[in-house]
Structures are given as structure tokens and as C-alpha cells.
């Protein structure tokens, strides 16, 4: 994708709008994915230029850690951070109640830890991520310890899902998460009826570490869109 690709422009604009909300002397949860990558870049640039001072980041993935180092953002682990003032992260689907599916980058376990700890969780998406009903455009990612993949898939089928093991694109074999686990992507043929109940039911399966449903976590959704050829950002 070129830098003038409308999708890239929307991601950049929404990332910039989120970074403009960050104040000096705060701890910031750093999300994962291509939109969050722009957030980390712009945050680091503001820190280096002196527009912001005394910012610390808490990374949600190895990707976020690497980018934070590249752009000069000092890092804390979740255990070292007394408080996370704001977390900014992307999403794969956002419904009208601000419930999310995340995990397109297989980082949803650490993302959920960091995003849930934040005083304010800001989601940054382009308008293609807005859906009326979760599970209609994106499969639900579930991180599972390798030993439990077979039984977990059976249990997920029992909940009405159609599970597939996520395979790597440029590596032989499955995707391995930052925690050394595997990811099952689950299709719910009619979408997801009750995200709150499903999040709990899946996490109750032995061997499941975390699933990509983020329910009642999001405070703010910023949406990048192109209107009359011009990029704009609005709060959903
Ligand atoms: C990674 C995620 C990402 O935030 C999500 O996949 C959105 O990514 P992008 O901004 O590249 O569309 O949940 O696990």
C-alpha cells in the first residue's frame, strides 16, 4: 500500500488524533497492528521533539516493544506501571456498543491485559472496522496452549463455532504467539449474539488463555474516514 492509499491515510489521521489526546507525565498503553504502529511513531516523535515530556509506554506485543525502542519511548512492564493513564489500540471489529473483536495480529492476550488496566482506552480504526454485529466480517481469535488445541477446538464447536488453526504466512506451520501459544480463529455462522456470555464461555475452556472479545472495556472510539475526498476523524 502506498502512503497515499486512502486506508493508510485514514490510519495515520486517526492515530494522530489519538496522540493529540496524550498529555505529558503519563503512562501510555501501546497497541499492536498497523494503526497502532502509527500511534507509536507519532507519540515517539512528539516525545523526541519536546512537544511531550515524561511519557512511558507499556507494550502490548513484541511489535509494540520494537517500535517503542525505535521511536525512543521508554518502556515499563504492566507490573512496573503503577497506573496506565491511557491505552491506544486498533481493532478488527467495533460494534455500536463499543464492543470489539481484536487479535488480527495474534496479540489480543497482552492487549487485553494492558487495555483493561488503562484509565482510558481509546480505540483507533478506519471506518471499514465498524459493524452492526460482531463476528460478521472477522473471525474470533482464541489463544490456546499447544497441548490443548484439539480439545479446545471440540469445545468451541460445542459453542456453535467453526474453528481453524491460524497458519503463518511466511513460516512453515502455525502462527506462534508472543507467549509461545497457538491461535484458533473461530467463525460464528450468524455472528455473535451475546459477546459478554461468549467471552466468558470461551475463556472457561481448559487450555484457552484468552479470546479476542473485548467487552465493556472501550471508553472512546476514534474513526478515520474519507468524506468528499478528505480524511476526517470522528468519535463513534
Ligand atoms: C492485533 C490487533 C490489532 O489491533 C488489530 O488487528 C487491528 O490491526 P490494524 O490496525 O492493522 O487493522 O488486535 O492483535
Amino acid at each position: 500500500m502506498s502512503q497515499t492509499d486512502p486506508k493508510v491515510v485514514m490510519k495515520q489521521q486517526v492515530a494522530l488524533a489519538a496522540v493529540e489526546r496524550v498529555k505529558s507525565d503519563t503512562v501510555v498503553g501501546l497497541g499492536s497492528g498497523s494503526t497502532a504502529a502509527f500511534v507509536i511513531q507519532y507519540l515517539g516523535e512528539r516525545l523526541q521533539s519536546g512537544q511531550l515530556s515524561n511519557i512511558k509506554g507499556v507494550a502490548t506485543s513484541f511489535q509494540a516493544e520494537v517500535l517503542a525502542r525505535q521511536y525512543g519511548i521508554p518502556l515499563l512492564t504492566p507490573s512496573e506501571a503503577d497506573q496506565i493513564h491511557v491505552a491506544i489500540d486498533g481493532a478488527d471489529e467495533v460494534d455500536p456498543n463499543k464492543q470489539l473483536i481484536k487479535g488480527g495480529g495474534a496479540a489480543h492476550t497482552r492487549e487485553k491485559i494492558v487495555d483493561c488496566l488503562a484509565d482510558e482506552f481509546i480505540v483507533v480504526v478506519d471506518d471499514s472496522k465498524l459493524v452492526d454485529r460482531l463476528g460478521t466480517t472477522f473471525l474470533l481469535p482464541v489463544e490456546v496452549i499447544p497441548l490443548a488445541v484439539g480439545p479446545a477446538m471440540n469445545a468451541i464447536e460445542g459453542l456453535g463455532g467453526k474453528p481453524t488453526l491460524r497458519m503463518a504466512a511466511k513460516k512453515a506451520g502455525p502462527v506462534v504467539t508472543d507467549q509461545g501459544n497457538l491461535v484458533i480463529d473461530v467463525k460464528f455462522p450468524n455472528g455473535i449474539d451475546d459477546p459478554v456470555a461468549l467471552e466468558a464461555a470461551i475463556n472457561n475452556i481448559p487450555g484457552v488463555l484468552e479470546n479476542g472479545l473485548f467487552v465493556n472495556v472501550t471508553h472512546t472510539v476514534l474513526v478515520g474516514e474519507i468524506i468528499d475526498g478528505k480524511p476526517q476523524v470522528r468519535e463513534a
Side-chain angles (χ1 to χ4, degrees):
M1 281 193 289
S2 79
Q3 291 306 296
T4 51
D5 182 313
K7 203 145 200 160
V8 175
V9 173
M10 285 191 280
K11 286 173 193 241
Q12 290 171 325
Q13 293 300 313
V14 77
L16 200 55
V19 168
E20 279 166 0
R21 295 177 177 225
V22 175
K23 298 186 176 64
S24 293
D25 305 309
T26 58
V27 176
V28 183
L30 305 175
S32 305
S34 56
T35 318
F38 286 124
V39 171
I40 298 172
Q41 177 187 339
Y42 299 148
L43 189 64
E45 287 172 354
R46 287 191 164 214
L47 189 55
Q48 299 314 312
S49 71
Q51 283 171 281
L52 285 171
S53 58
N54 191 27
I55 295 290
K56 301 226 169 20
V58 181
T60 58
S61 61
F62 184 59
Q63 178 208 23
E65 260 177 63
V66 169
L67 287 171
R69 290 211 176 85
Q70 183 181 334
Y71 290 105
I73 304 171
L75 288 171
L76 299 172
T77 65
S79 300
E80 288 166 340
D82 293 334
Q83 186 178 7
I84 299 175
H85 298 87
V86 61
I88 307 172
D89 206 344
D92 300 300
E93 283 188 348
V94 181
D95 83 1
N97 298 318
K98 299 184 185 165
Q99 315 291 36
L100 316 176
I101 286 184
K102 286 184 52 54
H108 55 279
T109 298
R110 276 174 69 180
E111 290 175 326
K112 201 180 276 192
I113 293 167
V114 174
D115 297 344
C116 287
L117 281 170
D119 297 342
E120 184 182 12
F121 175 34
I122 301 176
V123 173
V124 282
V125 288
D126 63 74
D127 59 2
S128 70
K129 306 294 185 69
L130 302 179
V131 296
D132 289 334
R133 184 175 166 83
L134 291 178
T136 47
T137 66
F138 203 82
L139 306 182
L140 176 64
V142 180
E143 181 168 357
V144 183
I145 67 166
L147 180 78
V149 162
M153 280 188 164
N154 292 340
I156 285 168
E157 280 178 4
L159 295 173
K162 297 199 182 317
T164 49
L165 185 62
R166 189 183 298 184
M167 302 308 284
K170 290 193 177 175
K171 165 192 168 284
V175 166
V176 178
T177 69
D178 290 355
Q179 289 71 241
N181 296 314
L182 304 178
V183 176
I184 297 170
D185 288 309
V186 188
K187 168 105 190 124
F188 287 92
N190 302 315
I192 294 170
D193 275 337
D194 183 346
V196 177
L198 188 64
E199 184 197 25
I202 294 179
N203 280 358
N204 214 20
I205 297 170
V208 167
L209 187 58
E210 190 54 82
N211 71 76
L213 280 168
F214 282 46
V215 293
N216 303 335
V217 182
T218 306
H219 298 97
T220 307
V221 178
L222 297 180
V223 184
E225 53 195 355
I226 306 272
I227 294 183
D228 296 333
K230 293 197 188 103
Q232 297 192 2
V233 176
R234 69 176 163 94
E235 213 171 294

